[in-house]
Amino acid sequence: MHPIAAVDATAQIAGDEWYRISTQDIVPEPPNRAMRSFGTFDLFEGDVFVDTGTTTRDVDITVEEWASEAPLRIAGDRRFAEVVEMSVTLLTRRLRILAADGTQLLARDLDGGAGSYRMRLYARYLDVRRQRHLLRLWPAPAKPMWIYQLDRDGQPIERPDRATSEILEVAMTPDQASIVRTEVEQMAIMEIQNGDIDDIVEDCDRIRDSITVHAGAGGVEQVALTPRQWKVAIAVLEHHSGLAPTPSDAEALRHVRDLIVSAIGHRLPAGRVYGQ
């Protein structure tokens, strides 16, 4: 796979600590720094502001347009400091990169035209005052921002493949189903605060949304989840059973975990999903 096109620019940051990716014909006034979130990507009136930190003075920028999702990992001796991805809506087909004073540094008429794009930034620190940024864009529906975990070589770690149609059902009581729903909901809150290193928050959210507890015939719930979601549920129950406030609470969590493993454990893929 190769990009449709690539263009380069160099941004002189001076004391502004950011450059701007314009998504529209009309450029809004620069924001007050106190109003910004100070994230690597920050949206302001539709434009994207890329934070470069307080010491950086020059950023070498390459923008690549791809027809479909670009490969995540990049071959060669590339040790990245950060890889972050977000969705952006372009109101015009022309993508422009601007310095803080409004000077145009780069312009590219995208083959994909205006619309919804996914944007992924690879950032490398060449030294304390210079960075190199690679921005990859491709047409894609909007979805939440994601900061990739990096491996020991400074390469981004692929996210789990959640695109599966396989569903496994486990029969349990409404109380047992409630335990699963409650525990994954609490785990999602904890992992958001911890940075979601194991990338399970999305799975926890899908599990929570899939379990609507109501007594079925004979007081039985048919809980239907994907194999990965079941693995996350098992991992959450195992982890929380060791943190339960009372022995009876711990036993209840272990009982539900054992129920799931007994019913479908042999159909789940190998490997850990939490605490790697």
Side-chain angles (χ1 to χ4, degrees):
M1 292 179 62
H2 298 282
I4 296 172
V7 287
D8 300 300
T10 296
Q12 294 182 333
I13 302 303
D16 299 294
E17 305 172 20
W18 50 265
Y19 63 87
R20 175 189 301 192
I21 301 170
S22 179
T23 64
Q24 51 198 307
D25 289 325
I26 300 174
V27 179
E29 291 297 319
N32 185 319
R33 287 290 298 182
M35 295 172 58
R36 297 189 54 228
S37 66
F38 301 96
T40 300
F41 277 153
D42 187 39
L43 285 171
F44 179 77
E45 295 187 7
D47 277 6
V48 180
F49 289 78
V50 183
D51 196 299
T52 59
T54 58
T55 64
T56 299
R57 292 297 174 262
D58 296 281
V59 182
D60 299 327
I61 306 166
T62 298
V63 176
E64 294 179 351
E65 181 186 1
W66 291 72
S68 58
E69 181 172 356
L72 177 62
R73 297 177 69 88
I74 298 178
D77 184 17
R78 309 285 186 92
R79 179 172 290 276
F80 299 107
E82 183 175 29
V83 179
V84 59
E85 189 175 295
M86 71 173 295
S87 293
V88 60
T89 300
L90 301 183
L91 302 181
T92 175
R93 69 177 302 172
R94 172 157 289 193
L95 180 80
R96 294 178 295 164
I97 292 185
L98 309 173
D101 63 3
T103 302
Q104 181 171 290
L105 305 174
L106 177 154
R108 161 73 187 167
D109 286 343
L110 300 178
D111 286 16
S116 178
Y117 283 79
R118 195 68 175 166
M119 178 185 297
R120 183 188 299 144
L121 167 68
Y122 299 79
R124 297 174 64 196
Y125 296 160
L126 303 182
D127 58 47
V128 71
R129 297 175 67 83
R130 193 177 192 93
Q131 296 184 32
R132 186 182 302 279
H133 287 185
L134 170 62
L135 283 160
R136 288 180 160 177
L137 295 98
W138 62 91
K143 56 183 178 180
M145 184 184 298
W146 180 253
I147 300 173
Y148 284 92
Q149 301 298 321
L150 304 178
D151 62 20
R152 294 179 181 178
D153 297 322
Q155 285 281 339
I157 297 173
E158 294 275 1
R159 299 196 70 185
D161 182 5
R162 297 184 172 95
T164 178
S165 59
E166 184 180 12
I167 295 294
L168 304 177
E169 290 190 350
V170 176
M172 56 182 68
T173 68
D175 286 346
Q176 291 167 338
S178 291
I179 287 174
V180 176
R181 191 179 196 279
T182 299
E183 298 305 317
V184 297
E185 191 169 31
Q186 292 176 354
M187 178 62 92
I189 295 171
M190 292 170 51
E191 287 303 294
I192 289 172
Q193 296 171 346
N194 294 333
D196 195 17
I197 293 174
D198 295 289
D199 197 357
I200 64 171
V201 169
E202 183 173 341
D203 301 292
C204 289
D205 289 343
R206 292 188 184 185
I207 295 168
R208 177 203 61 206
D209 295 342
S210 296
I211 300 177
T212 54
V213 179
H214 52 81
V220 173
E221 292 285 332
Q222 292 292 339
V223 178
L225 303 173
T226 68
R228 175 173 171 83
Q229 290 166 1
W230 279 121
K231 284 181 66 69
V232 169
I234 290 169
V236 170
L237 292 168
E238 288 176 346
H239 180 68
H240 285 184
S241 65
L243 305 175
T246 68
S248 61
D249 289 333
E251 177 59 28
L253 296 179
R254 286 193 293 266
H255 180 73
V256 178
R257 183 264 182 200
D258 291 345
L259 170 69
I260 297 169
V261 171
S262 175
I264 60 168
H266 62 290
R267 300 180 61 184
L268 301 181
R272 297 180 61 83
V273 293
Y274 179 74
Q276 297 171 333

